[in-house]
Amino acid sequence: MRRGMSELILPVERGWEVVFNVESRLDKYGHITVTVEIFANSMLLRTFPAPSLQEGIRIAELFARHVPRSWVRTGAAGLATAEISLLGADELLSSPPREREWHVPGMVPAGEPTLLSGDGGTGKSQLALQLGVSTVTGRPWLGRPIIQGPCIFLTAEDDDEEVHRRLDAIAHLEAVPPSDLSNLHIISRVGKDALLGILDPETRQVEPTALYYAVESAVSQVRPALLILDTLADLFGGDENDRRQARQFVGLLRRLTLPVGTTVLCLAHPSLTGINSGTGTSGSTGWSNSVRSRIYLERLLEWRGKGDQRRLIEPDPDRRQLSLKKANYGPLGQSLCLRWREGSFHKDDRLPNTPLPTAGKVGRQAEDTFLELLAAYEEEGRPVSANPSKNYAPSLFAKDERASGNTKVALEKAMNRLFAEKRLVVETYGPPTRTRSKIVASDATMQEATSNPPAN
């Protein structure tokens, strides 16, 4: 055993059992503190603080590897009793409701968490940084007015030099003097711990880290109109496919909005299913369900060629589409055509900015067939996938005699439209060691089917 560790746990007699207890406690101010306690034969030898639950567990496990007959235990203690308050509806209606505010009208609601998803290399970090510049300068973003105020940009993907290059390109093209950007605050966590929330293995709760509290303090000090977090995969220390954990982490993000009405924009990478379906979703549906708005930045790809030569290509590498995929407070279907020019994105006025295309009568028939077959396969215990595989839904359905003549291509298009309209979702199932995903009808679709049963 190394000398430092020996001094730390002395006195320990040979044969004693040593427990490294990592404890998280909630104080009266609502802050979580983490301590590592060392017990030998139930006798407390020493207690010292840890910056986060994850770091406390790491330290305890490091010590335990060098101490015979020892183990690590984690838990939560000292949790305060929850209090609730009741508000009468008559009190609410005693005055007119406050008009809803938007950070970006119709797209990013003010004072709420919004997800901006996009595959790697599409430019979502640059687009978000452009929004940060527009926020502090009061200039329109992609032709839309925004709320002016300070901005904090926390990135775990780009170092200071890369952010410098990105900002230089934006400032040069928009003719923004450096003095106008004094309220844009950059926090780069490249090469450092960037987790804002991690899962407590004992309580199964997503708990804030020391970095989260530092960001919370910065929000209280700077009082930003916008907080940009880049990206979800680097900031969330849990299972992205677990709906409960996703909702808990979004709850932590919402907590950051409360003191001064800060808008939180969290960047995320879509899953393979989200890319293939065109929905841009990531992991569990809990992410999309928990935020009030979700926007998706994607490349515009087209199928070219026939047979074995058929390939998905990008005719115009500088073109993107920004689509509103979820909107609790506004209409769906908004999309903006963007073009990359000299280091930043701009609305492409040469291309139409229209709502997403809807299906015609033939397309609706294919959608109805897809939903009917999905329900039948679910009842038969035959899960189907949104990803090309042996149980790829369009392929299986096209071979089924109940497909009413619909081809694989028609069913594939129908599936993508159903995902875009949030009538289908991807759900995980199976044991934790071998989870799988399957397509299921969304709650809204199930309610629609219940209220409008098919005619006999």
Side-chain angles (χ1 to χ4, degrees):
M1 188 189 306
R2 285 184 287 183
R3 181 180 177 184
M5 293 183 184
S6 300
E7 294 174 350
L8 183 66
I9 64 171
L10 285 177
V12 174
E13 300 292 339
R14 183 176 299 177
W16 281 17
E17 291 183 341
V18 179
V19 176
F20 296 91
N21 184 57
V22 185
E23 200 80 47
S24 59
R25 294 179 172 86
L26 188 67
D27 63 21
K28 63 180 180 180
Y29 302 106
H31 295 159
I32 294 178
T33 59
V34 180
T35 57
V36 179
E37 301 169 326
I38 304 177
F39 292 87
N41 274 14
S42 302
M43 179 176 65
L44 179 62
L45 299 183
R46 181 166 178 177
T47 300
F48 58 93
S52 67
L53 184 64
Q54 184 187 45
E55 183 66 13
I57 294 173
R58 189 191 69 81
I59 293 172
E61 289 178 342
L62 177 64
F63 289 162
R65 285 200 297 266
H66 297 272
V67 179
R69 302 191 65 188
S70 66
W71 66 89
V72 176
R73 183 177 64 190
T74 63
L79 298 180
T81 302
E83 296 182 359
I84 61 173
S85 60
L86 300 177
L87 177 63
D90 58 336
E91 185 178 348
L92 276 177
L93 296 175
S94 62
S95 60
R98 189 177 64 179
E99 186 177 350
R100 188 175 308 284
E101 295 184 349
W102 295 87
H103 193 80
V104 179
M107 187 168 285
V108 181
E112 296 281 354
T114 289
L115 276 182
L116 168 59
S117 58
D119 197 12
T122 55
K124 59 184 178 298
S125 297
Q126 187 74 3
L127 189 63
L129 194 55
Q130 285 181 236
L131 179 57
V133 171
S134 293
T135 298
V136 300
T137 60
R139 302 184 180 207
W141 179 70
L142 305 179
R144 300 195 175 199
I146 46 81
I147 292 179
Q148 186 175 7
C151 174
I152 296 176
F153 182 81
L154 188 156
T155 175
E157 290 207 332
D158 297 325
D159 57 22
D160 291 339
E161 291 186 1
E162 180 59 26
V163 176
H164 187 180
R165 284 187 285 267
R166 292 178 183 273
L167 277 175
D168 183 69
I170 297 171
H172 175 74
L173 195 62
E174 300 290 341
V176 179
S179 58
D180 287 358
L181 299 178
S182 59
N183 280 330
L184 177 55
H185 306 277
I186 311 299
I187 305 173
S188 176
R189 299 294 295 182
V190 174
K192 304 175 185 177
D193 182 7
L195 294 175
L196 296 179
I198 59 173
L199 180 69
D200 184 326
E202 184 72 17
T203 65
R204 308 304 299 171
Q205 297 288 322
V206 175
E207 297 190 351
T209 64
L211 178 60
Y212 178 91
Y213 289 121
V215 172
E216 189 176 45
S217 175
V219 168
S220 298
Q221 178 182 353
V222 175
R223 303 177 68 83
L226 178 66
L227 169 64
I228 301 172
L229 304 174
D230 186 17
T231 62
L232 178 64
D234 299 302
L235 307 175
F236 174 57
D239 182 0
E240 286 192 28
N241 296 312
D242 188 307
R243 185 179 303 179
R244 183 167 175 265
Q245 293 181 35
R247 294 185 68 87
Q248 289 175 5
F249 186 73
V250 173
L252 289 181
L253 299 187
R254 181 164 284 108
R255 192 169 114 184
L256 292 173
T257 72
L258 297 178
V260 294
T262 299
T263 300
V264 174
L265 182 70
C266 186
L267 280 55
H269 296 292
S271 64
L272 183 59
T273 299
I275 295 173
N276 291 338
S277 66
T279 61
T281 53
S282 173
S284 166
T285 55
W287 297 109
S288 184
N289 293 339
S290 300
V291 296
R292 294 294 178 261
S293 179
R294 183 170 61 82
I295 47 184
Y296 183 37
L297 181 67
E298 59 185 320
R299 300 177 182 274
L300 295 176
L301 307 177
E302 296 179 5
W303 286 102
R304 296 283 178 87
K306 296 182 179 180
D308 294 339
Q309 300 302 316
R310 195 164 185 249
R311 297 288 185 273
L312 197 61
I313 67 167
E314 186 177 12
D316 189 346
D318 293 332
R319 189 182 171 196
R320 301 286 189 275
Q321 180 168 274
L322 185 66
S323 306
L324 185 61
K325 295 297 186 181
K326 179 188 177 179
N328 276 36
Y329 306 136
L332 277 174
Q334 299 182 60
S335 66
L336 293 175
C337 288
L338 309 179
R339 182 167 294 280
W340 176 262
R341 187 175 77 247
E342 299 181 26
S344 60
F345 286 106
H346 303 268
K347 192 173 72 168
D348 196 334
D349 294 325
R350 296 174 301 171
L351 298 169
N353 295 282
T354 59
L356 297 178
T358 57
K361 181 177 179 181
V362 174
R364 290 303 178 192
Q365 291 174 346
E367 292 174 10
D368 291 341
T369 299
F370 189 99
L371 290 172
E372 290 169 6
L373 286 171
L374 179 64
Y377 275 51
E378 182 72 14
E379 186 176 349
E380 294 162 6
R382 302 162 63 187
V384 292
S385 172
N387 299 322
S389 60
K390 64 179 181 180
N391 62 335
Y392 184 44
S395 299
L396 292 178
F397 291 173
K399 298 174 184 177
D400 197 299
E401 63 181 6
R402 296 168 288 184
S404 304
N406 285 284
T407 64
K408 174 186 173 182
V409 173
L411 291 168
E412 194 169 44
K413 290 181 178 179
M415 178 183 72
N416 290 337
R417 286 194 299 270
L418 289 167
F419 270 113
E421 295 170 2
K422 300 189 295 184
R423 299 179 69 190
L424 294 179
V425 295
V426 174
E427 185 178 88
T428 58
Y429 68 100
T433 55
R434 194 182 178 187
T435 57
R436 299 179 181 180
S437 62
K438 64 178 180 179
I439 305 174
V440 297
S442 66
D443 293 339
T445 304
M446 296 299 293
Q447 292 173 5
E448 178 185 344
T450 302
S451 57
N452 299 291
N456 292 329

